[in-house]
Amino acid sequence: MPIITLTSDMGTSGYYVGSVKAAILSKIPSATIVDITHHIRPFHISSAAFVIRNAYNQFPQGTVHMVSVDALNNRSPRFLLLQADGHYFIGADNGLFSLALIKQPDKVFEIAFAPNSPVATFPARDVFAPVACHLLQGGQPDAVGKQVTDYLRPTAWQPTYDANSITAVILYIDEYGNCICNLDSTLFAQIAKGRAFVIDVKGYAIDSISRAYSDHPQGEIVALFSSSGMLELAMNHGNMAELIGLKEGDMVKINFA
Amino acid sequence: MPIITLTSDMGTSGYYVGSVKAAILSKIPSATIVDITHHIRPFHISSAAFVIRNAYNQFPQGTVHMVSVDALNNRSPRFLLLQADGHYFIGADNGLFSLALIKQPDKVFEIAFAPNSPVATFPARDVFAPVACHLLQGGQPDAVGKQVTDYLRPTAWQPTYDANSITAVILYIDEYGNCICNLDSTLFAQIAKGRAFVIDVKGYAIDSISRAYSDHPQGEIVALFSSSGMLELAMNHGNMAELIGLKEGDMVKINFA
Amino acid sequence: MPIITLTSDMGTSGYYVGSVKAAILSKIPSATIVDITHHIRPFHISSAAFVIRNAYNQFPQGTVHMVSVDALNNRSPRFLLLQADGHYFIGADNGLFSLALIKQPDKVFEIAFAPNSPVATFPARDVFAPVACHLLQGGQPDAVGKQVTDYLRPTAWQPTYDANSITAVILYIDEYGNCICNLDSTLFAQIAKGRAFVIDVKGYAIDSISRAYSDHPQGEIVALFSSSGMLELAMNHGNMAELIGLKEGDMVKINFA
């Protein structure tokens, strides 16, 4: 039976996550539920998208990913089921999945539910969990609602560049203070053309790409293309974001010689 | 096989939760264990009761709920197994379950254990887990100890009211800063009799009950009867408790016209 | 099938833990994965060792313990599989297991992997998970690499003592603020020889060993040999570490009459 993953901003100090799992296990006692995280910053769609983007395709094909972040974003919340890349995604129509998915979704369905039903405060338990169970039990995706094409598709922040420079931003700061930027190695190589370069972040300069954090002595700043495939700025055995005072959204400039 | 849920104030940074799960899985390798939360404020019985009250009956009948909060509350700790509402509850005789349960328990058993056994510092692992496994393996509840009636039954904080006003308190503040009060919609309707009203919280006035957070613009204060069935004061896309400086136990006054 | 436990400093706010579980469940959909903790202080080997030491042997024989703390500690990281005490341990050659294991390991294998493989930033997912799956599927430990004896074996901090005193240090502070010291009851009894004593911690004096936190009134300082078997200094219903300002590594002096 496929896996269900949970990603949310619910935290783990209340009854919310337990209630969602109860809703799933009441229908499917043998379900395999994997928490990706419940510590997305409240309402922070782009952080959630980054986490989903890096986690989802590690799971087997057919996995159902429930994402409850900013799910009640407007007066008439609209909930979606997406089929994409061999996976299912359930969440609100708030643009999150367009930022998270590597490929365009194959099909998008609007989840039908009675507009006056008491779902208005807890869609993860009352809407997403039943849809996830439907899919796990072999139900067809088109049974949950009509196919739509008019869902929200925000444009992800893309790095800007010219012949001799790239300007990226910090997308995400992890538990270690490592700063992951919206720049992959393909674009970097395309502009770099093998030239020397300086990565400038808040006045600190990095002039090489490392293979591992430990290529430099402890406490030194390192740039590498990490397990997420994106440019990561880190400090070997230190918390780079804290020490230099970086936050998500900060700019990183790369100049090529 | 029934589910075991875990609720505690152990946190998740040490070896405690892992040890409890090991104690269960050593006896029943296929047990389904669901963490409700391990982040109850240490020794905070009323928060734990609120979480249990809102989570337990989402689980299937027969679920075993282990609750380890303030379990060593006195020199001769006493541990209970309760049968209530089709569920089992295991924890200390500290009044928590009387606050948590919607109905009176059907039966309460005092868990027998050797008074000089080394349970004095870790009852969740050494007492509660074995009792939970006993139940999961089809054991009878009365095999764990003698039935008792003299367990602690504190009175839950109830709202006070007269013909034209209700005074409630904030029972619980969740991860989003939403403030849940000890007032359900039945009592509210009974006093309101359809009249206009003002909810006064720290000088802020709310004069309507919303159906959803998003009934008001972002940043506005909203009152609604939430997924828990209780009055909830929230800020659409904001952290109400932080911004207004509310804490659990604060008073909320409702005046009817 | 044996259990896999996970211990790391990855935190639970990103995609790292989800990715590790995905790597395991992709190969073994029915795997039982138990999080011990992902909140080890980043790079803090001795805290991780304390947690593992107290958790591992509660699990059934044959359990596979994956530990990812400071796994990329040097330029040429080296990863080990240990067989010890009927359990398997997978992690980096950074000395952690020598501090964690009660007995010497029976056998230690160096995990073979291609030195230029992209494991350099995420060994838990890319190296440890596949080795764990190999073992769960009945694979032999010696198939993962050659047996070695030259792994790191740091000496654990031992208490110092003479005929009339013991000097210990605080190894670990738990969620409740309880302070666990590197002193077990055997050494204590050996020096004490039944004499009166004073435990001095930051000027506070404790002159008895209790059986339970609640042997003293709330707010009083208590010393006991806890569920970990080590000397623990605690405050009944209070956070001792916070109130007295203690931290891991602080000294505790015991003088015998």
Side-chain angles (χ1 to χ4, degrees), chain A residues 147-164:
Chain A
Q147 200 174 334
V148 293
T149 54
D150 64 334
Y151 53 92
L152 282 181
R153 265 169 284 194
T155 309
W157 279 350
Q158 295 294 341
T160 58
Y161 54 90
D162 59 26
N164 299 310

mmCIF file of all heavy atoms in Angstrom, chain A residues 147-164:
data_model
loop_
_atom_site.group_PDB
_atom_site.id
_atom_site.type_symbol
_atom_site.label_atom_id
_atom_site.label_comp_id
_atom_site.label_asym_id
_atom_site.label_seq_id
_atom_site.Cartn_x
_atom_site.Cartn_y
_atom_site.Cartn_z
ATOM 1 N N GLN A 147 -11.764 18.001 -12.951
ATOM 2 C CA GLN A 147 -10.423 18.405 -13.366
ATOM 3 C C GLN A 147 -10.424 19.906 -13.648
ATOM 4 O O GLN A 147 -11.383 20.456 -14.176
ATOM 5 C CB GLN A 147 -10.024 17.619 -14.622
ATOM 6 C CG GLN A 147 -8.511 17.618 -14.815
ATOM 7 C CD GLN A 147 -8.054 16.730 -15.959
ATOM 8 O OE1 GLN A 147 -8.737 15.768 -16.308
ATOM 9 N NE2 GLN A 147 -6.901 17.047 -16.529
ATOM 10 N N VAL A 148 -9.369 20.585 -13.235
ATOM 11 C CA VAL A 148 -9.297 22.038 -13.438
ATOM 12 C C VAL A 148 -7.933 22.423 -14.008
ATOM 13 O O VAL A 148 -6.969 21.651 -13.938
ATOM 14 C CB VAL A 148 -9.511 22.820 -12.112
ATOM 15 C CG1 VAL A 148 -10.926 22.646 -11.596
ATOM 16 C CG2 VAL A 148 -8.492 22.404 -11.046
ATOM 17 N N THR A 149 -7.879 23.593 -14.597
ATOM 18 C CA THR A 149 -6.600 24.099 -15.114
ATOM 19 C C THR A 149 -6.302 25.500 -14.575
ATOM 20 O O THR A 149 -5.219 26.024 -14.788
ATOM 21 C CB THR A 149 -6.630 24.176 -16.657
ATOM 22 O OG1 THR A 149 -7.771 24.953 -17.029
ATOM 23 C CG2 THR A 149 -6.726 22.787 -17.280
ATOM 24 N N ASP A 150 -7.257 26.072 -13.877
ATOM 25 C CA ASP A 150 -7.121 27.467 -13.439
ATOM 26 C C ASP A 150 -6.608 27.588 -12.004
ATOM 27 O O ASP A 150 -7.040 28.452 -11.265
ATOM 28 C CB ASP A 150 -8.470 28.177 -13.545
ATOM 29 C CG ASP A 150 -9.500 27.560 -12.609
ATOM 30 O OD1 ASP A 150 -9.353 26.356 -12.271
ATOM 31 O OD2 ASP A 150 -10.433 28.269 -12.195
ATOM 32 N N TYR A 151 -5.689 26.705 -11.624
ATOM 33 C CA TYR A 151 -5.136 26.791 -10.271
ATOM 34 C C TYR A 151 -3.997 27.816 -10.235
ATOM 35 O O TYR A 151 -3.464 28.210 -11.289
ATOM 36 C CB TYR A 151 -4.672 25.410 -9.791
ATOM 37 C CG TYR A 151 -3.724 24.732 -10.750
ATOM 38 C CD1 TYR A 151 -2.352 24.888 -10.612
ATOM 39 C CD2 TYR A 151 -4.203 23.956 -11.804
ATOM 40 C CE1 TYR A 151 -1.481 24.294 -11.487
ATOM 41 C CE2 TYR A 151 -3.342 23.356 -12.689
ATOM 42 C CZ TYR A 151 -1.981 23.524 -12.530
ATOM 43 O OH TYR A 151 -1.113 22.951 -13.399
ATOM 44 N N LEU A 152 -3.645 28.224 -9.021
ATOM 45 C CA LEU A 152 -2.621 29.260 -8.851
ATOM 46 C C LEU A 152 -1.239 28.751 -9.260
ATOM 47 O O LEU A 152 -0.805 27.691 -8.812
ATOM 48 C CB LEU A 152 -2.559 29.712 -7.387
ATOM 49 C CG LEU A 152 -3.638 30.676 -6.908
ATOM 50 C CD1 LEU A 152 -3.403 31.021 -5.432
ATOM 51 C CD2 LEU A 152 -3.596 31.963 -7.744
ATOM 52 N N ARG A 153 -0.566 29.531 -10.076
ATOM 53 C CA ARG A 153 0.774 29.157 -10.517
ATOM 54 C C ARG A 153 1.737 30.324 -10.395
ATOM 55 O O ARG A 153 2.088 30.961 -11.398
ATOM 56 C CB ARG A 153 0.722 28.682 -11.974
ATOM 57 C CG ARG A 153 0.593 27.176 -12.074
ATOM 58 C CD ARG A 153 0.273 26.750 -13.480
ATOM 59 N NE ARG A 153 -1.124 27.003 -13.803
ATOM 60 C CZ ARG A 153 -1.752 26.491 -14.858
ATOM 61 N NH1 ARG A 153 -1.106 25.708 -15.700
ATOM 62 N NH2 ARG A 153 -3.030 26.766 -15.069
ATOM 63 N N PRO A 154 2.168 30.622 -9.166
ATOM 64 C CA PRO A 154 3.107 31.738 -9.013
ATOM 65 C C PRO A 154 4.438 31.372 -9.658
ATOM 66 O O PRO A 154 4.768 30.207 -9.834
ATOM 67 C CB PRO A 154 3.270 31.858 -7.503
ATOM 68 C CG PRO A 154 2.968 30.496 -6.981
ATOM 69 C CD PRO A 154 1.961 29.899 -7.917
ATOM 70 N N THR A 155 5.194 32.381 -10.028
ATOM 71 C CA THR A 155 6.522 32.139 -10.583
ATOM 72 C C THR A 155 7.525 32.053 -9.440
ATOM 73 O O THR A 155 7.534 32.911 -8.559
ATOM 74 C CB THR A 155 6.913 33.299 -11.510
ATOM 75 O OG1 THR A 155 5.841 33.493 -12.408
ATOM 76 C CG2 THR A 155 8.187 32.993 -12.263
ATOM 77 N N ALA A 156 8.313 31.016 -9.448
ATOM 78 C CA ALA A 156 9.344 30.893 -8.416
ATOM 79 C C ALA A 156 10.375 31.992 -8.613
ATOM 80 O O ALA A 156 10.627 32.437 -9.732
ATOM 81 C CB ALA A 156 10.008 29.519 -8.512
ATOM 82 N N TRP A 157 10.957 32.455 -7.500
ATOM 83 C CA TRP A 157 12.084 33.376 -7.598
ATOM 84 C C TRP A 157 13.202 32.713 -8.405
ATOM 85 O O TRP A 157 13.698 31.652 -8.017
ATOM 86 C CB TRP A 157 12.633 33.675 -6.203
ATOM 87 C CG TRP A 157 11.876 34.708 -5.456
ATOM 88 C CD1 TRP A 157 10.894 35.527 -5.930
ATOM 89 C CD2 TRP A 157 12.052 35.046 -4.081
ATOM 90 N NE1 TRP A 157 10.449 36.355 -4.924
ATOM 91 C CE2 TRP A 157 11.138 36.082 -3.791
ATOM 92 C CE3 TRP A 157 12.906 34.587 -3.077
ATOM 93 C CZ2 TRP A 157 11.056 36.655 -2.511
ATOM 94 C CZ3 TRP A 157 12.824 35.134 -1.825
ATOM 95 C CH2 TRP A 157 11.902 36.168 -1.542
ATOM 96 N N GLN A 158 13.559 33.329 -9.500
ATOM 97 C CA GLN A 158 14.651 32.803 -10.298
ATOM 98 C C GLN A 158 15.868 33.692 -10.113
ATOM 99 O O GLN A 158 15.717 34.902 -9.931
ATOM 100 C CB GLN A 158 14.269 32.784 -11.788
ATOM 101 C CG GLN A 158 13.123 31.840 -12.098
ATOM 102 C CD GLN A 158 13.481 30.391 -11.869
ATOM 103 O OE1 GLN A 158 14.665 30.052 -11.818
ATOM 104 N NE2 GLN A 158 12.493 29.533 -11.676
ATOM 105 N N PRO A 159 17.055 33.129 -10.177
ATOM 106 C CA PRO A 159 18.236 33.991 -10.127
ATOM 107 C C PRO A 159 18.267 34.866 -11.387
ATOM 108 O O PRO A 159 17.790 34.471 -12.439
ATOM 109 C CB PRO A 159 19.410 32.997 -10.121
ATOM 110 C CG PRO A 159 18.856 31.699 -10.582
ATOM 111 C CD PRO A 159 17.383 31.714 -10.321
ATOM 112 N N THR A 160 18.807 36.066 -11.249
ATOM 113 C CA THR A 160 18.999 36.909 -12.435
ATOM 114 C C THR A 160 20.475 36.836 -12.805
ATOM 115 O O THR A 160 21.335 36.589 -11.948
ATOM 116 C CB THR A 160 18.605 38.370 -12.146
ATOM 117 O OG1 THR A 160 19.404 38.841 -11.057
ATOM 118 C CG2 THR A 160 17.135 38.469 -11.769
ATOM 119 N N TYR A 161 20.787 37.033 -14.061
ATOM 120 C CA TYR A 161 22.187 36.910 -14.467
ATOM 121 C C TYR A 161 22.439 37.674 -15.756
ATOM 122 O O TYR A 161 21.530 37.968 -16.521
ATOM 123 C CB TYR A 161 22.576 35.443 -14.652
ATOM 124 C CG TYR A 161 21.682 34.688 -15.600
ATOM 125 C CD1 TYR A 161 21.964 34.637 -16.965
ATOM 126 C CD2 TYR A 161 20.540 34.022 -15.127
ATOM 127 C CE1 TYR A 161 21.136 33.948 -17.831
ATOM 128 C CE2 TYR A 161 19.702 33.345 -16.000
ATOM 129 C CZ TYR A 161 20.011 33.309 -17.355
ATOM 130 O OH TYR A 161 19.181 32.626 -18.206
ATOM 131 N N ASP A 162 23.742 38.032 -15.940
ATOM 132 C CA ASP A 162 24.179 38.511 -17.253
ATOM 133 C C ASP A 162 25.440 37.727 -17.604
ATOM 134 O O ASP A 162 25.699 36.684 -17.002
ATOM 135 C CB ASP A 162 24.388 40.032 -17.220
ATOM 136 C CG ASP A 162 25.417 40.464 -16.184
ATOM 137 O OD1 ASP A 162 26.320 39.649 -15.845
ATOM 138 O OD2 ASP A 162 25.321 41.603 -15.691
ATOM 139 N N ALA A 163 26.214 38.192 -18.552
ATOM 140 C CA ALA A 163 27.357 37.395 -19.032
ATOM 141 C C ALA A 163 28.394 37.159 -17.933
ATOM 142 O O ALA A 163 29.095 36.153 -17.941
ATOM 143 C CB ALA A 163 28.017 38.082 -20.228
ATOM 144 N N ASN A 164 28.489 38.088 -16.974
ATOM 145 C CA ASN A 164 29.583 38.019 -15.999
ATOM 146 C C ASN A 164 29.157 37.944 -14.541
ATOM 147 O O ASN A 164 29.996 38.046 -13.654
ATOM 148 C CB ASN A 164 30.496 39.223 -16.188
ATOM 149 C CG ASN A 164 31.115 39.247 -17.568
ATOM 150 O OD1 ASN A 164 31.664 38.226 -18.004
ATOM 151 N ND2 ASN A 164 30.989 40.366 -18.261
#
